[in-house]
Amino acid sequence: MSADHDYIVVGSGAGGGTLAARLAESGMRVLLLEAGGDPRSQHGGVRGMDEAANRLPDDYDVPAFHPFATENAAIRWDFMVNHYADKDTQARDTKAGPDGVLYPRAGTLGGCTAHNAMIFMYPHNADWQGIADLTGDDGWSPKAMHKIFRRLENCRHRPVQRVLHSLGIDRTGHGFDGWLTTEKAIPRAAVRDDDIMDVLRNSLRESWGSAPEFIRRLRWLANSAADPNDRDRIGDDAVGMVYTPLTTQNGVRVGARERVLDVAKRYPDRLTVELDALATRVLLDDGNRAIGVEYLKGEWLYRAHAAPSNAPGEPKQALAKREVILAGGAFNTPQLLMLSGIGDPTALAPHGITPRVALPGVGRSLQDRYEVAVVNRMAFDCWDSMKACRFAKGDALWRQWQTRGDGMYATNGAALGIIRKSSDAQILPDLFCMALLGRFSGYYPGYAADLSQSHNHLSWAVLKAHTQNRAGRVTLASADPRDPPVIDFNYFADGGEEDLSAVVEGVKFVRKLCQPLHDAGRIAAEEIPGPDVQTDAEIAQFVRDNCWGHHASCSCPIGPTDQGGVLDSRLRVHGTKGLRVADASVFPRIPGFFIASATYMIGEKAAEVLLAEAQSHTQTEKVQYGT
């Protein structure tokens, strides 16, 4: 077989889709393999609702429908994961079933950008500096990475600053010319909702803190206009109230899918998108150079799919002239490496896989954030702004969204967010507390259907960032590439007490925010954790029994092999040639508060590195041949 492509990219999410599009746009011939189909052209209902009724493309397009996208049968991959090795401990979580705890992923064009909550927040500068220090590569410095961020973003939520930028005045550090549009959605209906405004006023008052902190937070608020991605705020000590920028355009979800299809339309001779193509193995030559990929062609072949196919799939191969880049995410990238003989030999042997490259770090160091929710039932039947809400095509809010691109359905359900430190000892802010209109307490089969019935709840989600635990593992369940791997997070195993204490402080903080609403009779009852959970020890047990995560990362980290590293600073897999990784698995430590922006940036970073190397190689050839 001849190599018809310069590069093969496996996975079309924030990392892979971004990378494939940029390479093709820059003149390279790229094959992009995606195991799923196009979410806007498929047919799927939602678990626990009318499952025969098609909710696509609305579950994809409508920002407020993102919970239903995670439960839509056409695009969902249900990973069942273990939070704890001890089954009795895990069984204390009401979200756990006999096979584990639901961890929603998306098997579709755009990857998890097709079902995420679209929050786009820049990581802390220290996250990038940590990689630069680990590798000695200044290409990972905060200054270098912020250039990549600006190349990526097309900010639409700072209109005055956008005009100033066009005049050559830069006050925010935003990108205004990138391909990924970001907006903010604060509907007028929410502003007119007295109950929502009570939440905002009380939360703002309680979040200011002491007098010295008040002055600093007031300065941040004045300079950044509550924008978490403003240059004044991305310093590592900024805390306080923020809004959450969303990856939307005119109130419609956008992400890797739109980028890929745009470039494929403009350069059909360069970017080939192969849907329903489940990668099964990286092809390595005798020198461990990646020369291509084996895959199975067919719908719904991966057994994490909501309705996996019994068909065997059509075996195919594709060859790459230059390189293969894996971007399947924190679960599937290490799985594919191990299936290809790259990993810990002692873990491969039981599955009959011949080791090609001994790399024990593959699948280790899996990390995530810890999240819990404090759920309150309000003392009224429905939020005023949600009285017309049915979370369905055709209702009044849907019609407003469709005709004007605004309203409650243009949001992701988040009313506001507060950034803070769990303790003075924390170097970086490590808590993000977010108010959600609805009853949300984590992921379990049918959670979206339950959420659709909740119109009088206020949930405060407490997110613990910069977690210490690195004990998570991704291991093979079998040598069959259609079987999902075994995923063990081993919650609170490393640095457990510090992480646990931080989440406890977050729960106490959001309870403090809610107390004035309790006192005023606006909250009828706290349903979760409930009034019986009061002491630090009781809250800690509640956190252990109920926490979850959805930002899996770090399972193929950058770093030296003797420290468990899988990749070098240029994202090359140790011990191989022509093989790289470009997804959330590459981080040595989980960055920032929300993983999507950092993963988009990894896609752009990988493209920058590959294009620079290709140009250098071409120049060398010209010198060698005197042309």
Side-chain angles (χ1 to χ4, degrees), residues 184-205:
K184 70 176 177 182
I186 304 178
R188 286 190 293 270
V191 176
R192 292 194 297 264
D193 190 323
D194 291 340
D195 295 307
I196 292 178
M197 293 310 297
D198 267 356
V199 172
L200 291 173
R201 282 190 291 268
N202 283 298
S203 300
L204 182 61
R205 188 182 306 117

Side-chain angles (χ1 to χ4, degrees), residues 249-586:
Q249 184 170 356
N250 299 320
V252 179
R253 175 193 293 274
V254 292
R257 174 193 177 275
E258 285 64 41
R259 172 64 164 159
V260 165
L261 293 181
D262 172 64
V263 173
K265 181 179 180 180
R266 288 188 287 127
Y267 304 104
D269 56 328
R270 298 183 194 168
L271 180 56
T272 300
V273 182
E274 183 84 347
L275 300 178
D276 301 316
L278 177 66
T280 58
R281 185 166 67 99
V282 177
L283 297 172
L284 302 171
D285 67 13
D286 292 341
N288 286 333
R289 173 179 290 278
I291 59 172
V293 175
E294 286 185 349
Y295 64 98
L296 292 174
K297 178 70 174 177
E299 288 187 316
W300 306 348
L301 295 177
Y302 198 56
R303 295 191 178 103
H305 191 277
S309 171
N310 291 322
E314 179 186 359
K316 288 194 171 188
Q317 286 188 355
L319 301 183
K321 179 181 177 182
R322 293 181 181 271
E323 297 201 20
V324 172
I325 305 97
L326 306 184
F331 299 157
N332 292 103
T333 288
Q335 179 184 18
L336 188 53
L337 285 174
M338 288 185 281
L339 290 170
S340 306
I342 303 170
D344 186 345
T346 62
L348 302 181
H351 301 291
I353 298 173
T354 302
R356 295 294 303 269
V357 178
L359 207 53
V362 172
R364 293 181 176 270
S365 194
L366 175 67
Q367 297 171 44
D368 206 342
R369 314 193 199 285
Y370 296 114
E371 298 185 48
V372 293
V374 174
V375 180
N376 299 288
R377 177 168 47 82
M378 307 304 290
F380 46 78
D381 292 333
C382 184
W383 298 96
D384 284 344
S385 56
M386 295 180 68
K387 286 183 177 177
C389 175
R390 300 295 179 270
F391 290 112
K393 180 178 181 178
D395 71 21
L397 294 179
W398 183 90
R399 292 195 299 270
Q400 178 183 354
W401 167 83
Q402 185 188 48
T403 56
R404 293 171 24 191
D406 63 11
M408 295 300 289
Y409 282 1
T411 78
N412 65 354
L416 75 152
I418 298 174
I419 298 170
R420 63 183 284 107
K421 293 182 179 182
S422 60
S423 72
D424 293 337
Q426 288 292 327
I427 298 174
L428 299 176
D430 63 323
L431 293 178
F432 190 88
C433 305
M434 181 166 51
L436 308 170
L437 302 184
R439 192 183 194 280
F440 178 64
S441 58
Y443 301 104
Y444 55 88
Y447 88 95
D450 290 346
L451 184 64
S452 70
Q453 303 301 313
S454 169
H455 292 169
N456 69 333
H457 284 83
L458 173 67
S459 300
W460 274 95
V462 176
L463 182 152
K464 162 63 178 137
H466 304 294
T467 47
Q468 299 301 308
N469 187 11
R470 302 176 68 181
R473 299 289 183 264
V474 178
T475 55
L476 293 178
S478 77
D480 187 341
R482 299 177 63 179
D483 288 339
V486 177
I487 301 159
D488 298 302
F489 280 101
N490 294 313
Y491 272 10
F492 302 108
D494 292 339
E497 290 306 314
E498 181 179 333
D499 287 340
L500 186 59
S501 296
V503 184
V504 169
E505 289 304 312
V507 171
K508 291 162 65 176
F509 172 70
V510 299
R511 278 180 155 178
K512 181 180 178 183
L513 297 182
C514 294
Q515 190 57 51
L517 298 175
H518 281 282
D519 295 341
R522 308 304 291 271
I523 291 177
E526 180 187 278
E527 294 185 347
I528 301 174
D532 293 337
V533 178
Q534 293 297 329
T535 68
D536 284 7
E538 290 168 342
I539 298 173
Q541 190 61 55
F542 158 75
V543 171
R544 286 184 180 276
D545 294 346
N546 292 274
C547 61
W548 72 88
H550 65 294
H551 295 157
S553 53
C554 310
S555 54
C556 296
I558 296 168
T561 56
D562 61 358
Q563 297 180 29
V566 174
L567 312 174
D568 68 10
S569 70
R570 302 182 75 79
L571 304 173
R572 295 175 292 204
V573 177
H574 292 307
T576 71
K577 298 176 182 178
L579 181 61
R580 305 192 200 222
V581 175
D583 58 27
S585 69
V586 309

